[in-house]
């Protein structure tokens, strides 16, 4: 309504409400290497495309005369209050799109009551982001360092700074083959962006001959060694449990058997995700993986979903297929590319309004009303 009313006065929204146009507009605003770092995917891009196509495998079946003019979007995910079943996915190195980066994201998330999941590889420290987030809901995403002392130090810092849950990303123990970044010879971290948490960490600093400020190349090399390629198995999750007493979620689950193993390992939740198609090329669309996983473990732990969510209808489909909440990645980063907080705010408010309206128009008063009979399998 706000947008239409402003339109009467001749005003157009500053940031487009169309997801594809939003990406195109971010492309015009960003340096090519920064844009492609965000927009790019693994290999041929088949998984990123499959993520979007998977939403077309399902159609919503609207219901009428169900008194859905007043909706309630608020929910609680593993003890964290959220104004809607939407979280901001962990996205590293956000200062490549706007200098305020994760600080702007944390402020807007707090203002809108949406939980923000801060990446280990953020461009501002987790303490600075916590301060920007104030009393807003926040979770910490862990890239599991090879050095146990650095790992424990990060966990202790995150707990002290009020992060309410830990999201352990499993699908990125090494970086995938990403042609756009390879062709630009570009990885933000190697240029000292997205390393703030680690460079500030006392346990990490103790491993260096000279502080990162004095010998950045050596610190970057050490950083790479800290986060790349250790063989890990399910039994090692006990280590994290020992050092983190709040909810733990595993991010990157795509197979029902891995979801069952997550239950056996005693974690509190999973994020059904393929990292927005950035890791394995030619993989299953994330939404196609969701129903089997929800059926296998949906009543035993919290099932969250990401990869490809762009609209209110997408969120409704994911929730109807068994997710408790979704995470959104690229769209909010494109919002951030439009003057930081203001662009981000417009993108997220637009997504929430779309969700709210579509929920009502399909005859639902709250996300809890969604279920398998909300959808019909598409045979197109
Ligand atoms: C990511 N993602 C990610 N995930 C994570 O666990 N830690 C991280 O640091 C990052 N960094 C990151 C950077 C960029 C530029 C993107 C686009 C993504 C993955 C992210 O959390 C999420 O899984 C996907 O972005 C979801 O897919 P969509 O919404 O982008 O399609």
């Amino acid at each position: 309504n706000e947008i239409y009313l402003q339109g009467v006065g001749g005003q157009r929204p500053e940031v487009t409400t169309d997801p594809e146009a939003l990406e195109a507009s971010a492309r015009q605003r960003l340096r090519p290497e920064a844009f492609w770092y965000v927009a790019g995917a693994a290999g041929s891009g088949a998984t990123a495309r499959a993520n979007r196509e998977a939403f077309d495998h399902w159609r919503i079946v609207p219901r009428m005369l169900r008194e859905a003019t007043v909706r309630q979007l608020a929910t609680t995910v593993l003890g964290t209050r959220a104004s809607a079943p939407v979280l901001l996915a962990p996205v590293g190195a956000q200062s490549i799109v706007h200098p305020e980066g994760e600080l702007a994201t944390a402020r807007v998330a707090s203002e809108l009551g949406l939980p923000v999941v801060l990446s280990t590889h953020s461009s501002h420290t987790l303490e600075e982001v916590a301060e920007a987030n104030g009393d807003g809901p926040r979770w910490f995403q862990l890239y599991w360092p090879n050095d146990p002392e650095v790992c424990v130090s990060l966990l202790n810092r995150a707990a002290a700074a009020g992060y309410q849950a830990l999201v352990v990303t499993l699908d990125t123990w090494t970086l995938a083959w990403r042609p756009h970044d390879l062709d630009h010879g570009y990885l933000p971290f190697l240029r000292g962006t997205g390393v703030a948490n680690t460079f500030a960490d006392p346990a990490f600093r103790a491993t260096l001959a000279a502080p990162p400020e004095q010998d950045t190349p050596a610190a970057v090399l050490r950083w790479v060694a800290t986060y790349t390629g250790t063989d890990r198995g399910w039994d090692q999750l006990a280590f994290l449990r020992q050092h983190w007493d709040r909810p733990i979620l595993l991010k990157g689950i795509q197979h029902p058997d891995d979801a069952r193993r997550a239950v056996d390992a005693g974690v509190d939740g999973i994020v059904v995700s393929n990292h927005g198609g950035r890791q394995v090329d030619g993989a299953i669309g994330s939404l196609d993986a969701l129903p089997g996983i929800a059926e296998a473990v949906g009543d035993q732990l919290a099932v969250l979903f990401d990869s490809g969510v762009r609209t209110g209808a997408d969120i409704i489909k994911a929730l109807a297929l068994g997710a408790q909440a979704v995470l959104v990645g690229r769209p909010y980063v494109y919002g951030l590319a439009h003057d930081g907080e203001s662009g981000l705010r417009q993108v997220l408010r637009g997504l929430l309004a779309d969700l709210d309206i579509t929920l009502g128009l399909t005859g639902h008063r709250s996300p809890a009303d969604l279920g398998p009979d909300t959808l019909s399998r598409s045979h197109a």
Side-chain angles (χ1 to χ4, degrees):
N1 284 348
E2 198 179 305
I3 293 179
Y4 287 130
L5 287 174
Q6 284 170 353
V8 175
Q11 244 181 296
R12 295 276 185 84
E14 282 160 38
V15 181
T16 172
T17 58
D18 175 76
E20 280 178 29
L22 178 65
E23 179 171 310
S25 165
R27 184 173 181 175
Q28 285 176 347
R29 287 172 168 257
L30 296 173
R31 288 173 290 132
E33 66 271 26
F35 171 75
W36 283 112
Y37 179 70
V38 178
S44 68
T47 307
R49 284 193 299 280
N51 283 342
R52 290 299 304 138
E53 284 159 13
F55 286 94
D56 281 336
H57 299 159
W58 297 94
R59 305 284 188 216
I60 300 168
V61 188
R63 303 294 304 276
M64 298 299 127
L65 295 173
R66 301 227 304 196
E67 299 180 11
T69 53
V70 179
R71 271 94 49 197
Q72 173 59 265
L73 293 187
T75 184
T76 301
V77 189
L78 290 172
T80 298
R81 292 283 298 155
S83 62
V86 178
L87 295 85
L88 277 64
V91 167
Q94 290 179 26
S95 67
I96 67 169
V97 298
H98 190 276
E100 290 277 297
E102 296 85 358
L103 301 176
T105 301
R107 280 187 209 113
V108 176
S110 172
E111 175 189 315
L112 299 179
L114 301 177
V116 60
V117 187
L118 181 73
S119 169
T120 296
H121 299 334
S122 53
S123 12
H124 300 273
T125 64
L126 63 91
E127 289 84 1
E128 291 164 338
V129 173
E131 199 182 326
N133 190 234
D135 55 8
R138 56 181 172 272
W139 292 3
F140 184 67
Q141 176 265 330
L142 183 74
Y143 277 129
W144 196 337
N146 295 327
D147 181 333
E149 285 175 24
V150 174
C151 183
V152 171
S153 176
L154 283 171
L155 297 182
N156 289 342
R157 287 170 58 202
Y163 290 80
Q164 293 153 270
L166 186 71
V167 176
V168 185
T169 300
L170 301 177
D171 58 17
T172 312
W173 50 268
T174 193
L175 209 61
W177 186 256
R178 296 182 186 169
H180 286 294
D181 299 339
L182 292 166
D183 288 352
H184 285 111
Y186 182 70
L187 200 56
F189 317 105
L190 300 190
R191 302 181 185 202
T193 303
V195 295
N197 278 326
T198 310
F199 277 18
D201 193 86
F204 178 79
R205 294 173 78 90
T207 66
L208 301 172
E213 301 75 33
Q214 278 171 26
D215 188 354
T216 309
V220 166
L221 282 181
R222 180 86 204 133
W223 181 94
V224 172
T226 301
Y227 290 103
T228 314
T230 299
D231 252 335
R232 286 215 171 86
W234 289 91
D235 51 338
Q236 289 172 57
L237 291 170
F239 176 82
L240 298 180
R241 181 53 89 197
Q242 206 184 326
H243 295 282
W244 180 264
D245 62 3
R246 300 169 196 183
I248 296 179
L249 299 93
L250 302 181
K251 178 169 180 278
I253 300 296
Q254 293 280 277
H255 195 295
D257 285 348
D258 283 349
R260 289 188 190 97
R261 300 210 65 162
V263 172
D264 294 343
V267 298
D268 307 277
I270 54 175
V271 184
V272 175
S273 164
N274 60 28
H275 217 102
R278 297 165 72 80
Q279 285 299 95
V280 178
D281 191 26
I284 182 172
S286 196
L287 194 78
D288 287 331
L290 177 61
I293 291 173
E295 200 189 332
V297 301
D299 52 353
Q300 297 174 74
L301 42 58
V303 177
L304 275 61
F305 172 84
D306 82 24
S307 296
V309 173
R310 297 292 176 270
T311 66
D314 294 344
I315 298 173
I316 287 176
K317 290 179 186 179
L319 300 181
L321 291 173
Q324 214 179 97
V326 303
L327 287 70
V328 177
R330 292 180 186 85
Y332 86 79
V333 184
Y334 297 144
L336 193 61
H338 290 75
D339 301 326
E341 275 182 55
S342 71
L344 177 56
R345 183 179 297 112
Q346 288 177 67
V347 167
L348 289 176
R349 287 189 63 205
L351 183 65
L352 294 179
D354 180 8
L355 170 63
D356 182 41
I357 292 166
T358 311
L359 196 67
L361 288 174
T362 56
H364 301 96
R365 264 180 291 184
S366 108
D369 298 342
L370 299 165
D373 64 352
T374 306
L375 303 181
S376 166
R377 182 94 188 156
S378 163
H379 301 288

